[in-house]
Amino acid sequence: MHVSCGGVTLGQWVTMAILCFVNLINYMDRYTIAGVLDDIKTAFDIDDDKAGLLQTAFVVSYMVFAPIFGYLGDRYNRKYIMAGGVLMWSLTTLAGSYMNSYGSFILFRLFVGIGEASYSTIAPTIISDMFVKEKRSHMLALFYFAIPIGSGLGYIVGAHMASSLGSWHWALRLTPALGIASVLLILCLLEEPVRGESEGTRVEASHNTWWEDLKLLFTNKSFMLSTAGFTCVAFVTGALAFFGPSFLILGFKLIPGDDSAKEDVSFKFGVVAMLSGLIGVPLGPFLSQLLRSRYSRIDPLICAAGLIISAPICFFAILSPTTNKTLCYALIFTAELFLNLNWSIVADILLYVVPPSRRSSAEAYQILFSHALGDASSPFLIGLVSNNLKKILNPDSFTIPTNTSVPVTSSDVVDFHSMQYALFITCFIEVLGGLFFLLNAIYIRRDKEEAEKEASCDALPEPTHFIANDPREK
């Protein structure tokens, strides 16, 4: 396990492969519901707001329990915490697939969020303790590479399983099997690195109280501003990912001569999401490393540019579903490509502005705030705005297409435009996120230097002679 390839040991490669695999199935599970959302709405007889609440309920429990797992991750063995969490979300996802009422189904989505919180708070800190500088950026890019691919596979696999086996319930039964397999991989093969090892130090588990950690993190301007910017990314990603396929189905239905099947839209949306991630996620750290020698503040500037450029493209993408499908998919791809520049860079920012002894807690609080105000609230908020717009929009103010392949009613037109107007909110949120990252650029150098100084002070001393007790074992 210590054979080196490219300066990375076999054990480290195995650990990275396991972490990426779990991240992949994590996001597959998260967005499988979006691929069969229309079927779920029909089965439970619910509107857009209750459909959005399914994702909101999952993310609420996810964010509430993240600080608990962050606290534990800074103090106890991270491998066993992750294994327990992955096992929990696998079993509760499987159990939820057998529920036939809205209340019981949403209850199990809450339990799924608890399990996933354990993994997401801890995995990036393991990568941080194994790698440093350029290698860390590369490995984080690889890790977050799994997010758009997993999300895209969630749409594709969910729609395909549902159509092939005749029920949307089957869409939720693949990832639990993969999750249980990943638990065995974590327990048997994953390495647990020493905290701070990649920086050339060996840092003790945190002995601070919860309140002391919280005060130190809240006074870290780079951490707070990057978290605010990432919250905007999460808001936009959550809204577009959850309502994207169903919104396109509504829009494409209004194009004359269109006969797209629902699963065809979910499949294409998933492919677009994956392709934008395949390019966008590694492009962010590539640009960062290319320009970092010239511009020390380049990381938050790339994040800001990605969001601000994505905003107008996203606006036109939301306008286009009733005009041209190819143009619509191209605009979605471009908007998501620039949005995906943020993922690994934001994770890297957190890891170098926060000392090793508080990184799991920092990950947890970033998850808490980004999801509380981001993708926990955006599906429900967008669905709520859409439902209220349906009540006030006048059907007579819209032209109803008459030469479509399927009959179109005034209700169909109102449904599309109400969701369209609600999704325009995401464009303003992207601009706001860009402003947060621009402010972050002001403080990034100072906070990075302070984190490095604190990490060196926290390092345990080496023994001075052979018979001395090793102070690192205290």
Side-chain angles (χ1 to χ4, degrees):
M1 296 295 281
H2 294 285
V3 177
S4 178
C5 177
V8 180
T9 67
L10 178 58
Q12 290 173 334
W13 279 119
V14 170
T15 296
M16 279 302 306
I18 294 171
L19 294 177
C20 290
F21 175 67
V22 180
N23 209 28
L24 180 79
I25 59 176
N26 180 359
Y27 277 84
M28 276 183 64
D29 174 77
R30 196 175 299 188
Y31 289 107
T32 295
I33 286 183
V36 291
L37 187 59
D38 280 358
D39 295 330
I40 292 175
K41 288 168 67 176
T42 301
F44 293 138
D45 190 24
I46 55 176
D47 292 324
D48 289 338
D49 53 352
K50 286 189 176 180
L53 193 59
L54 288 173
Q55 189 74 347
T56 298
F58 158 77
V59 181
V60 164
S61 64
Y62 177 75
M63 70 183 189
V64 168
F65 280 85
I68 297 174
F69 288 112
Y71 181 88
L72 297 174
D74 280 333
R75 291 158 176 81
Y76 302 103
N77 190 295
R78 293 171 286 188
K79 179 164 71 172
Y80 298 123
I81 296 172
M82 278 201 304
V86 173
L87 179 63
M88 181 177 181
W89 73 250
S90 299
L91 295 177
T92 51
T93 296
L94 181 62
S97 70
Y98 290 95
M99 299 299 108
N100 290 309
S101 69
Y102 178 78
S104 57
F105 184 67
I106 200 171
L107 176 64
F108 275 94
R109 293 307 292 173
L110 285 166
F111 291 139
V112 172
I114 298 172
E116 288 200 17
S118 69
Y119 171 79
S120 298
T121 56
I122 292 173
T125 68
I126 291 179
I127 297 173
S128 173
D129 289 333
M130 282 188 167
F131 307 101
V132 70
K133 295 183 179 179
E134 288 78 11
K135 279 193 178 70
R136 177 190 289 170
S137 297
H138 292 155
M139 293 304 175
L140 284 171
L142 182 63
F143 177 74
Y144 286 104
F145 205 56
I147 293 178
I149 297 175
S151 302
L153 285 174
Y155 301 119
I156 296 168
V157 172
H160 180 73
M161 293 275 292
S163 62
S164 299
L165 298 174
S167 171
W168 63 267
H169 298 84
W170 286 101
L172 301 178
R173 293 171 186 168
L174 175 63
T175 52
L178 298 175
I180 292 171
S182 69
V183 171
L184 299 176
L185 292 174
I186 291 170
L187 292 174
C188 298
L189 298 175
L190 187 136
E191 289 188 357
E192 167 76 355
V194 177
R195 292 175 178 85
E197 187 174 40
S198 63
E199 283 97 341
T201 62
R202 294 171 62 89
V203 179
E204 287 191 41
S206 175
H207 296 299
N208 289 339
T209 66
W210 172 83
W211 180 244
E212 287 171 337
D213 278 346
L214 195 63
K215 286 193 294 184
L216 289 168
L217 288 173
F218 276 25
T219 55
N220 187 324
K221 291 185 173 62
S222 289
F223 170 73
M224 294 302 294
L225 288 168
S226 63
T227 298
F230 187 64
T231 298
C232 296
V233 175
F235 185 98
V236 175
T237 302
L240 296 180
F242 195 73
F243 284 113
S246 58
F247 171 66
L248 294 186
I249 290 171
L250 288 171
F252 293 165
K253 187 178 180 181
L254 305 181
I255 299 177
D258 177 66
D259 57 353
S260 298
K262 293 180 183 179
E263 56 269 22
D264 187 46
V265 172
S266 292
F267 175 81
K268 290 180 178 178
F269 189 86
V271 169
V272 167
M274 284 195 294
L275 290 176
S276 66
L278 284 170
I279 300 172
V281 171
L283 182 60
F286 171 78
L287 292 174
S288 171
Q289 292 179 32
L290 185 67
L291 300 171
R292 191 173 290 169
S293 60
R294 300 182 192 176
Y295 310 103
S296 58
R297 307 174 193 272
I298 193 62
D299 284 351
L301 293 177
I302 290 174
C303 293
L307 282 168
I308 292 170
I309 293 171
S310 176
I313 302 172
C314 184
F315 176 82
F316 288 110
I318 296 170
L319 276 179
S320 64
T322 57
T323 56
N324 186 288
K325 289 192 291 184
T326 303
L327 174 63
C328 180
Y329 282 125
L331 289 169
I332 291 172
F333 167 81
T334 309
E336 291 197 349
L337 186 148
F338 283 103
L339 193 63
N340 281 324
L341 296 179
N342 287 267
W343 285 101
S344 61
I345 294 181
V346 171
D348 207 9
I349 289 173
L350 182 149
L351 294 172
Y352 66 64
V353 300
V354 176
S357 61
R358 287 196 297 277
R359 283 175 182 162
S360 288
S361 294
E363 290 283 352
Y365 290 120
Q366 188 170 87
I367 286 173
L368 172 63
F369 295 116
S370 64
H371 289 307
L373 302 175
D375 56 348
S377 58
S378 63
F380 178 68
L381 176 63
I382 297 298
L384 186 64
V385 171
S386 175
N387 269 3
N388 286 320
L389 286 173
K390 288 177 187 178
K391 300 173 184 178
I392 62 176
L393 289 178
N394 183 3
D396 296 333
S397 61
F398 301 110
T399 302
I400 301 176
T402 56
N403 56 341
T404 56
S405 58
V406 293
V408 175
T409 65
S410 59
S411 177
D412 294 326
V413 178
V414 169
D415 287 349
F416 168 75
H417 284 290
S418 62
M419 180 58 69
Q420 182 185 56
Y421 297 159
L423 286 174
F424 281 142
I425 295 172
T426 59
C427 304
F428 297 100
I429 298 297
E430 284 191 290
V431 175
L432 179 63
L435 295 176
F436 282 129
F437 280 118
L438 288 175
L439 290 172
N440 187 14
I442 299 172
Y443 303 100
I444 194 77
R445 287 176 56 184
R446 184 202 67 186
D447 291 335
K448 181 179 180 182
E449 291 170 0
E450 289 183 359
E452 290 172 350
K453 188 184 300 183
E454 183 175 342
S456 64
C457 292
D458 288 341
L460 290 167
E462 296 292 335
T464 56
H465 52 83
F466 290 113
I467 61 171
N469 292 327
D470 190 344
R472 294 172 298 177
E473 296 176 355
K474 289 182 180 179

